[in-house]
Amino acid sequence: MTLTESARLTAPAELCASSARLWRDRLEKEIKPEHEEVCIDLSNTRFIDSSGLGVLLTLNKGLRARGASLKLINPSSPVCQLIELTRLHRVFEIIHD
């Protein structure tokens, strides 16, 4: 995979109602149509609320619609717990490296 086919972005420490819009706007600017894979580093993200999950779900749906994939990389323990509690581990591809 070449660099133009993959994007890696780092999520903010808190992905919540107050930061979700800015994060969504950043994703729209950084993710290009040629990106076949988008990796979101969640290692420094300590809190996600429903707005933050909504951004990730919308991103995942949009990428899948065009044949691309979303990977959540190294989610922190609190984020992992939330993803499992909401059963979204069945939706997202989660990578621990």
Side-chain angles (χ1 to χ4, degrees), residues 40-55:
I40 304 294
D41 183 344
L42 291 168
S43 60
N44 293 321
T45 304
R46 300 291 171 232
F47 178 77
I48 295 181
D49 70 3
S50 60
S51 297
L53 287 175
V55 170

Side-chain angles (χ1 to χ4, degrees), residues 5-8 12 18-19 23-25 40 44 46-47 56 60 62 64-67 69 71 81 83 93 95:
E5 295 173 339
S6 181
R8 186 172 179 131
S18 63
S19 64
W23 174 241
R24 186 189 68 234
D25 292 347
I40 304 294
N44 293 321
R46 300 291 171 232
F47 178 77
L56 293 175
N60 188 52
R64 285 182 181 235
R66 63 178 179 89
S69 65
K71 296 181 180 179
Q81 290 174 354
I83 289 171
E93 183 175 354
I95 308 292

Side-chain angles (χ1 to χ4, degrees), residues 15-30:
L15 189 46
C16 55
S18 63
S19 64
R21 178 182 286 173
L22 289 173
W23 174 241
R24 186 189 68 234
D25 292 347
R26 179 177 169 217
L27 292 172
E28 288 176 2
K29 289 179 186 174
E30 303 234 4

Side-chain angles (χ1 to χ4, degrees), residues 14-17 19-20 22 29 36 41 80 86 88-89 91 94:
E14 292 189 359
L15 189 46
C16 55
S19 64
L22 289 173
K29 289 179 186 174
E36 296 173 1
D41 183 344
C80 265
T86 56
L88 290 173
H89 61 288
V91 174
I94 300 170

